[in-house]
Amino acid sequence: MFRMKTPLLISIVFAGFSLHAAACMARDHIDIVGSSTVYPFATVVAEQFGKATRYKTPKVEATGTGGGFKLFCGGIGVKYPDISNASRRIKKSEYLMCRSHGVDEIVEVKIGYDGIVLANSRKTGPLALSRRDIFLALAKSVPASDDSEKLVPNPYRTWKDVNPALPSFRIEVLGPPPTSGTRDAFLELAMEGGGRTFKWIDALKKKDKQKFKSICHTIREDGAYIEAGENDNLIVQKLEANPHAVGIFGFSFLDQNADKIQGAVIDGVEPTFDAIAEGEYPVSRPLYFYVKKVHVGVIPGIDAYLSEFTREKAWGEDGYLSDRGLIPMPEDERRKFRDDALKLRILDLDQLGH
Amino acid sequence: MSNHRPKSGKKIGSMEIVSRGLDRRYGAERRFRFMGVAALVTSIVFLSLLFINIIGTGYSAFQQTFVKLDVNFDPHMVSAEDPASANYPGLIKKAMRSLFPEVKKRRDKRKLYSLVSTGASFQLQKIVESDPTVIGTRQSVWVPADDEVDMLMKGHVDRNVPETERRLKDVQIQWIDRLIEQGRLKKSFNTIFFTSGDSRNPELAGILGAVVGSFYTLLVTLALSFPAGVATAVYLEEFAPKNRWTDIIEVNINNLAAVPSIVFGLLGLAVFINFFGFPRSSPLVGGLVLSLMTLPTIIIASRASLQSVPPSIRDAALALGASRVQMVVHHVLPLALPGMLTGTIIGMARALGETAPLLMIGMVAFIVDIPSNIIDPASVLPVQIYLWSDSPERGFLERMSAAIMVLLVFLMVMNLVAVILRKRFERRW
């Protein structure tokens, strides 16, 4: 009897204790998930917020944009995150997923811009690329060289094959994996931009969107594009070791490592802070975060966090986020989004494009 | 063969046969030994390369650059009643301006202020809160310098590269040189690294949060997996009948030990977080997941050490009238315990170095506050290393290596304890 009962008793007591613990776990810190591109900025704000206010420091997890929305849209309550960072706008499908789980009041806050740079080691000369070059170098199938509107498997081995003005290095690009928001933005801005320089591909965009996407969004798989994981520091190290390789990452990594790597000039524009801020640099994208309105006031400090993030001292032109490589929005846009954030204006489905 | 002696006159003695083959046999032995030594040397070379690399980049993180500022705790700016609301960044800026009165332009002033860490103002706040009598006085305070200054002082920034490719501008380097001349910049032991949690500023980042998180996680792991593991092993070894079912259980325990750890993370996410609703990122869930992972290791080690207790001990106890529980608890278990503990410690050391399962349950996160119980959000040491390796700021590189050193020290201590336990209590029959 003794032998049988004791372990049973222990496990019942333990289970009882743990369920009890689970039942009375209210959360007193803000829970943030989402994009690893926004992570460096959100963490700086979170730390500043935790030190300067009486609230606890928010917990920030880098789950990737898509993974973040999955958690964020899971439902309402302390189990689910309050804020989701995104390196692209929320998709309609994600918005609807949120709604189907009872999360129908979301506040959208745009925080600034990020440039996607193609960089190589300073040991070799800087590259001057056009988006067409990028498309031709990285797409899985490219238009045949005889203007026949046919696709052929990408035949180009070196940059010189793509464009005679470029150096004769083998094409070797280290870039983010498909789960990354940086990759999504790169496909949309650089690859689509490059594909659309061909008239017939541009025409496809209206006629056959599926085909257009499959042409522009399919990256070659023959070893010229190397998926380098989400760790951008590692890419920087690999670029240093291999001066002929090119890396794709966010502007902040170029900004921090400008003594080791240099950004390629794209369509004649150098990736500098000012060029991205003024919208001249073609491969730049807005960054966002999304807030669950019903959590405001339940989880302590969300409104204060919004106020901290949207302060001029944080996201303004001379703010501490710009020191970290975030490209600020123009002043009127900043004013509008701060106003929206503080008043918790809800995002409508019709505001989302496609 | 040897008992068929050749009958011809030219006898070959067995000694001769042996000595003919001797060279070959010695040669084989030499080659074998050489290969063994070569393998050993290769692994030692790789290991020492690893250590040299880590220690070479990490040792400088144990030092930190501080700036001496003469701060005037102006009663107009700081009030004793409400020290939290004072403008501490203003105090720092004032102190910096008084050092370089010639800096007038707004842009230059910003460059000047950026030489001091943003943590400096919080340090002043702590000073005032702990001793309000400083208000109205002028004090010399050593505050942490910005990580860029720290990198320059440690020689990680090359002064010779063109100004546009550096984060520190020429004028800032001139100011730094002047501070050095005045004795206002010094490197001293980096206590911040051991006493604070994570930060996005390398000069303020520390590992205490991760160490405490690791401690709580391992506490939960130990509390669950050791009793459960030992009880399972004792039951299977001493009480369970040997039949098909116990065979299946045994095979599955061995399988479980070989399951990749990420799978346990997925299980933890599905069961502990989604079903039981335990808080994400907490050491409770982390410990539960890691105990699933270490349980098979402990069971296997415990069973092996129970098997090594000679049956005569059991027979003697039973013959003297002990019940089976008495036999196990009074005689077998004490003799098997050192081996069990060794297995447990090695399992724990493995759990200490694990990140993959924790990724799934949200422990890979930016957490500043130091956890105070098992349901606070926490990260662990290897996760902290991973997070720092992914940060763009240069200063995190050395901190990452330093954190690896700390992790290695913990692992070595744990393994050393395992060895000592074995040496002291092991009995051979």
Side-chain angles (χ1 to χ4, degrees):
Chain A
M1 282 299 269
F2 165 78
R3 219 162 47 212
M4 291 297 288
K5 259 187 182 162
T6 316
L8 197 72
L9 211 69
I10 291 173
S11 48
I12 288 172
V13 167
F14 185 80
F17 162 75
S18 44
L19 284 177
H20 171 72
C24 58
M25 266 182 270
R27 184 151 55 78
D28 55 356
H29 61 270
I30 304 174
D31 204 343
I32 303 173
V33 294
S35 161
S36 51
T37 313
V38 185
Y39 173 87
F41 310 125
T43 45
V44 174
V45 178
E47 189 180 348
Q48 183 69 27
F49 167 82
K51 277 186 179 151
T53 66
R54 63 198 162 81
Y55 300 109
K56 279 199 170 181
T57 312
K59 183 190 88 188
V60 190
E61 248 183 275
T63 58
T65 303
F69 280 129
K70 227 182 208 170
L71 290 165
F72 178 78
C73 294
I76 285 174
V78 287
K79 265 169 77 180
Y80 303 100
D82 313 310
I83 294 176
S84 185
N85 298 323
S87 56
R88 56 166 169 75
R89 209 165 185 205
I90 188 168
K91 286 180 190 162
K92 223 172 195 174
S93 57
E94 286 162 341
Y95 186 91
L96 292 174
M97 177 172 74
C98 264
R99 189 173 264 184
S100 70
H101 290 102
V103 188
D104 29 48
E105 294 185 324
I106 315 173
V107 180
E108 180 184 62
V109 185
K110 190 168 157 190
I111 60 167
Y113 296 92
D114 177 41
I116 298 173
V117 297
L118 274 82
N120 63 347
S121 163
R122 280 205 180 264
K123 287 171 200 155
T124 47
L127 287 169
L129 303 168
S130 65
R131 276 179 284 175
R132 190 188 183 109
D133 297 338
I134 297 173
F135 171 72
L136 288 178
L138 293 179
K140 189 172 184 188
S141 31
V142 295
S145 45
D146 54 352
D147 301 324
S148 61
E149 300 202 1
K150 257 190 212 146
L151 288 172
V152 291
N154 196 330
Y156 306 116
R157 298 279 134 230
T158 68
W159 289 102
K160 207 181 176 111
D161 296 343
V162 174
N163 178 348
L166 291 171
S168 56
F169 308 145
R170 211 154 59 81
I171 297 171
E172 207 178 343
V173 178
L174 301 156
T179 48
S180 155
T182 310
R183 165 97 162 227
D184 290 343
F186 176 75
L187 293 177
E188 213 158 283
L189 297 162
M191 296 292 284
E192 279 190 23
R196 288 176 67 181
T197 58
F198 294 92
K199 272 206 185 98
W200 64 275
I201 296 182
D202 191 29
L204 267 184
K205 187 171 186 189
K206 291 203 184 84
K207 279 191 294 186
D208 188 352
K209 209 162 179 193
Q210 281 296 313
K211 183 141 189 242
F212 173 74
K213 276 215 160 157
S214 83
I215 295 173
C216 294
H217 284 209
T218 316
I219 298 259
R220 64 198 291 184
E221 286 156 354
D222 55 356
Y225 183 89
I226 302 152
E227 277 175 16
E230 296 261 18
N231 191 329
D232 293 343
N233 255 347
L234 217 62
I235 303 186
V236 173
Q237 281 177 29
K238 282 182 186 158
L239 293 184
E240 257 197 299
N242 179 0
H244 291 171
V246 176
I248 301 174
F249 36 75
F251 173 76
S252 57
F253 274 83
L254 177 67
D255 194 37
Q256 292 280 348
N257 293 290
D259 56 339
K260 291 181 180 161
I261 49 173
Q262 58 198 353
V265 175
I266 294 179
D267 289 342
V269 187
E270 225 183 302
T272 59
F273 192 90
D274 297 328
I276 300 171
E278 268 143 44
E280 286 164 18
Y281 184 72
V283 198
S284 77
R285 53 163 166 185
L287 303 175
Y288 300 88
F289 68 83
Y290 293 86
V291 188
K292 254 177 224 167
K293 190 177 174 181
V294 283
H295 281 200
V296 179
V298 180
I299 306 291
I302 297 182
D303 37 1
Y305 176 81
L306 288 175
S307 163
E308 172 68 37
F309 211 125
T310 57
R311 251 179 359 145
E312 279 300 297
K313 264 191 178 167
W315 74 357
E317 247 137 69
D318 290 333
Y320 56 77
L321 288 175
S322 77
D323 287 344
R324 303 287 176 153
L326 179 75
I327 318 271
M329 295 180 283
E331 210 186 330
D332 48 335
E333 227 181 328
R334 288 206 298 273
R335 213 174 303 131
K336 175 190 170 288
F337 276 103
R338 177 174 170 85
D339 194 49
D340 280 2
L342 296 186
K343 288 187 180 141
L344 298 172
R345 199 157 289 147
I346 295 160
L347 177 73
D348 263 342
L349 186 59
D350 337 322
Q351 282 172 271
L352 297 172
H354 44 87
Chain B
M1 286 287 272
S2 54
N3 39 18
H4 291 280
R5 283 174 154 255
K7 287 174 185 166
S8 67
K10 292 179 184 173
K11 274 187 190 170
I12 305 177
S14 57
M15 279 312 285
E16 205 167 332
I17 297 174
V18 168
S19 61
R20 263 191 202 165
L22 217 49
D23 276 350
R24 201 168 42 79
R25 283 166 60 193
Y26 279 146
E29 188 179 329
R30 264 198 308 276
R31 278 195 300 280
F32 190 75
R33 278 190 184 192
F34 173 76
M35 281 191 285
V37 171
L40 192 67
V41 168
T42 327
S43 45
I44 287 177
V45 165
F46 276 115
L47 203 62
S48 43
L49 273 179
L50 183 77
F51 276 108
I52 289 168
N53 186 6
I54 290 170
I55 295 172
T57 46
Y59 79 96
S60 54
F62 295 113
Q63 285 208 315
Q64 161 71 36
T65 310
F66 290 88
V67 192
K68 190 163 107 181
L69 292 180
D70 300 324
V71 181
N72 181 11
F73 290 95
D74 188 345
H76 298 296
M77 291 175 79
V78 194
S79 74
E81 290 87 56
D82 187 14
S85 69
N87 178 10
Y88 295 102
L91 291 182
I92 298 276
K93 285 176 182 173
K94 240 184 171 174
M96 287 298 281
R97 278 203 302 271
S98 69
L99 284 177
F100 297 98
E102 77 278 8
V103 180
K104 289 274 183 274
K105 269 189 278 173
R106 196 169 156 268
R107 273 210 166 262
D108 287 344
K109 276 187 193 163
R110 264 176 61 82
K111 279 185 195 145
L112 180 65
Y113 301 150
S114 72
L115 295 182
V116 176
S117 164
T118 51
S121 48
F122 299 108
Q123 192 182 332
L124 293 192
Q125 185 174 345
K126 264 188 212 146
I127 292 174
V128 173
E129 276 168 0
S130 65
D131 181 13
T133 59
V134 294
I135 297 172
T137 61
R138 184 175 271 279
Q139 302 275 334
S140 280
V141 187
W142 285 98
V143 295
D146 189 62
D147 58 310
E148 306 285 346
V149 180
D150 191 41
M151 289 292 104
L152 183 84
M153 290 289 283
K154 287 170 181 168
H156 295 312
V157 175
D158 189 355
R159 286 164 180 253
N160 298 324
V161 298
E163 191 181 3
T164 50
E165 295 166 20
R166 267 191 262 120
R167 289 188 56 84
L168 280 177
K169 301 302 164 206
D170 286 344
V171 56
Q172 285 174 306
I173 292 183
Q174 281 168 21
W175 291 331
I176 292 169
D177 287 339
R178 252 174 67 195
L179 285 173
I180 297 172
E181 267 169 43
Q182 294 170 355
R184 286 181 176 275
L185 268 184
K186 70 160 183 192
K187 281 195 281 183
S188 60
F189 184 68
N190 188 357
T191 44
I192 298 169
F193 185 69
F194 294 100
T195 55
S196 57
D198 195 5
S199 167
R200 288 283 295 127
N201 298 301
E203 73 273 13
L204 302 176
I207 50 163
L208 186 62
V211 170
V212 173
S214 274
F215 171 76
Y216 282 129
T217 309
L218 286 190
L219 199 70
V220 173
T221 309
L222 186 67
L224 289 172
S225 61
F226 183 64
V230 169
T232 311
V234 167
Y235 179 75
L236 283 178
E237 228 17 78
E238 306 291 336
F239 296 102
K242 298 271 175 280
N243 58 25
R244 201 143 47 94
W245 293 110
T246 48
D247 281 349
I248 291 174
I249 290 174
E250 188 172 345
V251 167
N252 277 308
I253 288 172
N254 289 332
N255 281 340
L256 218 53
V259 167
S261 54
I262 186 92
V263 176
F264 291 112
L266 287 166
L267 187 79
L269 177 68
V271 175
F272 301 127
I273 294 181
N274 292 344
F275 183 69
F276 283 118
F278 291 161
R280 228 176 129 75
S281 316
S282 64
L284 175 64
V285 178
L288 283 165
V289 167
L290 291 180
S291 57
L292 289 179
M293 204 191 77
T294 40
L295 203 54
T297 319
I298 295 180
I299 294 173
I300 291 168
S302 300
R303 290 189 71 179
S305 76
L306 282 171
Q307 276 159 6
S308 71
V309 175
S312 55
I313 304 255
R314 294 184 182 86
D315 295 341
L318 291 176
L320 288 173
S323 71
R324 291 194 48 184
V325 175
Q326 283 173 328
M327 177 266 282
V328 169
V329 174
H330 295 171
H331 300 281
V332 179
L333 210 50
L335 290 170
L337 211 53
M340 291 175 169
L341 286 176
T342 312
T344 308
I345 290 171
I346 289 169
M348 286 289 140
R350 211 188 122 200
L352 176 64
E354 199 62 63
T355 48
L358 305 181
L359 189 79
M360 305 309 303
I361 55 167
M363 287 187 94
V364 181
F366 177 71
I367 290 154
V368 175
D369 298 334
I370 290 155
S372 55
N373 55 50
I374 57 167
I375 54 171
D376 274 352
S379 70
V380 294
L381 265 172
V383 166
Q384 192 65 72
I385 292 166
Y386 167 74
L387 286 175
W388 284 346
S389 80
D390 202 15
S391 301
E393 289 80 8
R394 194 75 53 87
F396 279 118
L397 191 66
E398 55 168 30
R399 260 144 248 266
M400 174 196 84
S401 299
I404 293 174
M405 276 152 54
V406 171
L407 180 65
L408 283 176
V409 166
F410 276 116
L411 290 176
M412 277 178 202
V413 168
M414 287 174 87
N415 286 328
L416 199 69
V417 169
V419 169
I420 290 173
L421 272 179
R422 198 161 57 220
K423 280 266 181 296
R424 280 206 54 178
F425 296 108
E426 191 181 47
R427 287 188 60 179
R428 292 193 178 281
W429 281 282

